[in-house]
Amino acid sequence: MKKFHLLLLCLLVCVASTSSSPILCHDTERSALLHFKQSFSIHCSNSANPSPYAKILSWKPTGDGSDCCEWDGVQCDEHTGHVLSLDLSSSCLYGSLPSNSTLFELIHLQALNLADNNFRYSPIPSKLGHLVNLRYLNLSQSRLFGQVPIEVSTLSNLISLDLSLNLEPSSGFQLLTLQHPSLATLVKNLTALEVLRLSEVNISSPFPEIISNLTSLRSLDLINCGLHGLFPEGVFLLPGLQVLSLGENTNLSGNFPDFQSTSKLSLLSIENTGFYGRLPTSIGNLQSLEMLDLSTCNFEGLIPASLGQLSQLIHLDLSSNSFSGEIPLSLYNLTQLSYLDLSQCNFQGHLSNSIGKLSHLTHLSLSGNSWISEIPRTLSNLTQLSYLEIDSCNLGGEVPNLNNLTKLIYLNLQYNRLTGSITSFISGLPNLEILLLAENNFTGPLDFDIFVRHQNLQALSFSNIDIVFPTNTHNNSYYPQLVLLELSTCDLNRLPDFIHNQTRLSILSLGSNKIKGSLPIPSPSLMSYEVGGNGFRGEIPEAFCNATSLKVLNLQFNRLSGEIPPCLFNLSNRLELLALDHNDLHGTIPEAFTSSCKLKFLYLGYNRMEGALPRSLANCSFLEALGLENNIIVDTFPIWLSGLPRLQQISLDSNKLHGPLPPKFGVGFPSLCSIELSDNQFTGNMSDELFDDLYAMQKLRLQQSVIAVTFDLLGGELAVLYSTFRSLEDNDSQQGSIYLLISVDLSNNRLVGKVPDSIRNLTGLQYLDLSYNNLTGGIPFSFSDLAQLQSLDLSHNRLSGEIPQGLTQLSFLSQLDVSYNQLTGPIPQGGQFSTFNNDSFIGNAGLCGSPLSKKCGNPEVPAASPNESSSKEDDDSTDVIGWVIRSMGYISGLVVGVVIGRMISDENHDWFVETFGRRQRKKNKKKKQRGIR
């Protein structure tokens, strides 16, 4: 009996010993992992993780460390030894992901995370469908390419799926598509999903209603997926939904529902979508909300006071909507806010002192609203602020004491009516890195020595203020090393000496001053050199060709002479804006534009350039605007430019172009919005199809063409934006109004025949000038279809018949000239015609009625005949003055903005700030001008 008990005791000890021993991984799974390891090399340089770690380096085939369950990134079932989880995120893997990878032999896997590696544009293998036990799958940020395979939709146990942010790094091109299968097909079988992240996957479909049935969904992230159509309200009401991120789906629209008090939403982000309507009062029910981003949508109306009930809110962005009224006082109860952006919201009224209650704010942007007050003095309470932006708000008075804001690194107060001394409010801001104060009424002089105390300063923008620079050049080495310096319209008569000691400058703008002498040579690192509107003389030095980093070169409106160095055109593989107009340059334009040409804007007008247009311009596929007006170019119409898909503006006014016009302007010019060919020697008829297929002129399109000069600043990226725009009327040239004028100007040529009826197709046309030709026939009745027309000049032709009554329906028509033709009958009455005077109709013996003194039915002495004024050169002195400033027909303006961004995440957000824009050029009646200022 004792022997039996002893035997039983030994057996129990053996069993206990066996049960406490670790279960080793299976040989087949260890072998599969080792083969998987051999598919990759290690490259950590491109990881999004600041601390990547190559986990597979710990995997050993034999000896100590050969148990795969102990390897980094591997977790096994403690009872069976099967691999259940493989986390190789940010593991520096570099190589293709084979379709027959041994990874898919790990059939017990429940979690697979391969995020933040570089799989070199491999497709997602279809054998992923073999891992039927997967619950968690993360393939984000791994440079996977192609269609998401339908086999992913068979993984019915999935709880979390993340395929987001598979992008080509340099271009941002979306690498993954989800179209066959569609998003609806993908989620049809994934009914257990709690987390779905597909941001930056090209889906391009209507938003599927079926997602409203995913009752377990907690997080839905579909940023920039090309989703469109109407968003189903049911998704907002999913009972467990905590995160909903739909931003950058510009064609996705919808309304907010009545939110329930049971909602668990903590993050709601729909920025840059088509959501519209009023914010419902029930938005105050979202008591768990910590982040709300509704920026760049189409919301309108008053902000509901209930928004102030969201006591957990940390991040609030309502910018770029069409709200009305004032900011509700309840918003100032959101004392947990650290980020608040209410810019471009159409708010009016007073900026309340209650803003001082938001003491946790680190980021505050209130730009682009219409306040009728001063900057609240309670801003000094916001001691955590690092970013403060209140530009373009019509604020007056002096800037309050900001000395408490010792953490402030970004301050933008441009485009206001602020007065007083700059020194008084910046002296106590030791950490400033960006200071933008242009376009105010600050009093000077400003002693530039104050900036010796701001050694962190990297960007500085002033205008319209007297600046005193020290005469002691010894101090120049003590100034901060700037990346951006803008001192426009500061009445400078010499180049400040301290600039010669600036070794980090990327952006230099000294436009609209009185600086004379020779052009200073740009450093090789300079990216934007803007000195237009000064008095620089002499030739452009060939040393400019060494500035190989230049993207923007603006030397317009100076007194430069000589030939343009041919090597300067060789910079077109980097340059995006070249503006040399309004100088006294001469010579020919060389055939120097290669297939790598990056030029978007080329302005050489108002010089003495001669010869033919270089055919190599056809290589500049990014070209948007070509300005060569007022030169001595001898050529025919450049139909060979028709292959340039982005070309919007052609200005060849006042040259020696000759021959017939093309049969169609629209052939090969899909983006053309502005055709300026006046004062040349074009001959022949305008074909009936001349204005067919000019699709860009068939609707009024608000447009903005932008060049971004970017560099690192504040731990992110700062961009200075140069933008072109056009204005028809003096009172249009107000800050913030940026657009292209859709125009056709064929005046002062030798064209004959009838006005083509196809012009009726240009329903977005705003400016039409066919004057000083030899056109016959009547004014087409179809002109009444040009509903956007603002200026119409048909003077000095041989047009006959009556003025169509339908022209009175053109409610935007502010300029009309049909003088010196052979028109007859009564002048139409009503509408805009009541604003036109005699000058619009004289020289037509057969016309009668107001505003002419000749009454209909009562013959009077005829007005002057067309022969009395047969060319523009014979106009009166007022028109001659106007002709001196005639140019391309659009005004180009400099808009500088700041974009500070980091990686896409819930915590970091791109900052965009338009810091200034100028529209100072004026325009005489019937005359237009152009310049980058």
Side-chain angles (χ1 to χ4, degrees), residues 544-677:
F544 268 67
C545 301
N546 297 326
T548 53
S549 298
L550 278 177
K551 292 181 71 174
V552 172
L553 178 59
N554 177 8
L555 308 179
Q556 65 178 185
F557 287 96
N558 280 286
R559 299 179 182 179
L560 302 173
S561 56
E563 294 190 11
I564 302 172
C567 59
L568 198 62
F569 293 102
N570 294 334
L571 298 180
S572 62
N573 63 348
R574 171 76 178 177
L575 273 176
E576 295 185 25
L577 185 151
L578 178 59
L580 306 179
D581 54 285
H582 290 84
N583 282 289
D584 191 29
L585 301 167
H586 64 267
T588 59
I589 306 171
E591 296 281 358
F593 303 98
T594 67
S595 58
S596 60
C597 177
K598 296 295 192 299
L599 273 175
K600 292 183 178 179
F601 307 103
L602 177 60
Y603 302 137
L604 302 177
Y606 283 89
N607 285 293
R608 291 186 290 121
M609 308 304 297
E610 56 191 12
L613 294 169
R615 276 16 183 201
S616 60
L617 268 175
N619 291 323
C620 298
S621 57
F622 296 97
L623 195 65
E624 297 181 20
L626 176 63
L628 287 166
E629 68 279 17
N630 280 78
N631 280 291
I632 319 171
I633 303 295
V634 180
D635 210 330
T636 56
F637 181 80
I639 192 65
W640 41 270
L641 288 175
S642 61
L644 302 182
R646 296 175 173 86
L647 191 61
Q648 298 180 37
Q649 303 159 329
I650 295 177
S651 178
L652 298 171
D653 296 17
S654 301
N655 280 286
K656 294 186 177 180
L657 301 181
H658 56 85
L661 294 175
K664 278 187 182 183
F665 278 131
V667 175
F669 290 105
S671 301
L672 201 58
C673 292
S674 177
I675 304 171
E676 311 284 343
L677 301 176

Side-chain angles (χ1 to χ4, degrees), residues 58 123 132 174 180 194 244 331 361 377 390 422 550 579 607 681 711 784 837 868 877 894 899:
S58 70
V132 294
Q174 294 175 336
H180 306 289
E194 296 179 9
L244 179 58
L331 251 62
L361 280 179
R377 299 194 176 277
I390 321 180
I422 292 174
L550 278 177
N607 285 293
Q681 299 166 17
F711 49 89
S784 60
N837 59 28
E868 294 180 32
S877 59
L894 173 66
V899 181

Side-chain angles (χ1 to χ4, degrees), residues 264 267 330 429 452 516 560 884:
K264 296 180 180 179
L267 185 151
S330 63
L429 304 176
V452 172
K516 299 179 181 179
L560 302 173
V884 170

Side-chain angles (χ1 to χ4, degrees), residues 724-842:
T724 65
F725 56 84
R726 292 188 49 173
S727 173
L728 181 66
E729 299 288 350
D730 291 348
N731 58 12
D732 281 335
S733 52
Q734 56 189 351
Q735 169 214 330
S737 179
I738 299 176
Y739 63 95
L740 297 179
L741 184 66
I742 299 176
S743 65
V744 173
D745 189 347
L746 304 178
S747 61
N748 209 25
N749 281 285
R750 301 172 184 174
L751 301 173
V752 298
K754 296 181 178 182
V755 178
D757 192 57
S758 60
I759 206 166
R760 70 188 305 167
N761 298 326
L762 310 184
T763 50
L765 193 65
Q766 296 168 287
Y767 183 99
L768 176 62
D769 192 344
L770 302 178
S771 62
Y772 291 95
N773 281 290
N774 198 22
L775 302 177
T776 56
I779 299 175
F781 288 93
S782 58
F783 273 21
S784 60
D785 295 335
L786 305 180
Q788 303 298 329
L789 200 62
Q790 299 178 34
S791 178
L792 175 62
D793 193 343
L794 302 174
S795 63
H796 299 276
N797 282 289
R798 292 192 296 126
L799 299 173
S800 57
E802 296 188 357
I803 301 173
Q805 180 67 33
L807 296 185
T808 61
Q809 302 172 18
L810 302 179
S811 56
F812 294 110
L813 192 65
S814 58
Q815 297 176 9
L816 174 70
D817 194 345
V818 294
S819 62
Y820 300 105
N821 278 287
Q822 298 172 8
L823 300 171
T824 58
I827 295 173
Q829 303 298 310
Q832 289 294 100
F833 271 66
S834 62
T835 66
F836 304 138
N837 59 28
N838 284 10
D839 292 344
S840 295
F841 305 101
I842 61 173

Side-chain angles (χ1 to χ4, degrees), residues 232-241 257-260:
E233 290 187 0
V235 177
F236 288 114
L237 304 177
L238 287 171
L241 193 64
D258 284 331
F259 293 104
Q260 305 300 308

Side-chain angles (χ1 to χ4, degrees), residues 21 25 47 70 96 101 161 227 324 331 349 360 380 388 415 449 523 545 596 624 674 717 739 820 829 877:
S21 300
C25 75
S47 176
E70 300 295 324
S96 298
S101 173
L161 175 62
L227 294 166
S324 57
L331 251 62
H360 288 91
S380 61
L388 176 58
Y415 285 105
D449 270 349
S523 68
C545 301
S596 60
E624 297 181 20
S674 177
E717 186 176 82
Y739 63 95
Y820 300 105
Q829 303 298 310
S877 59

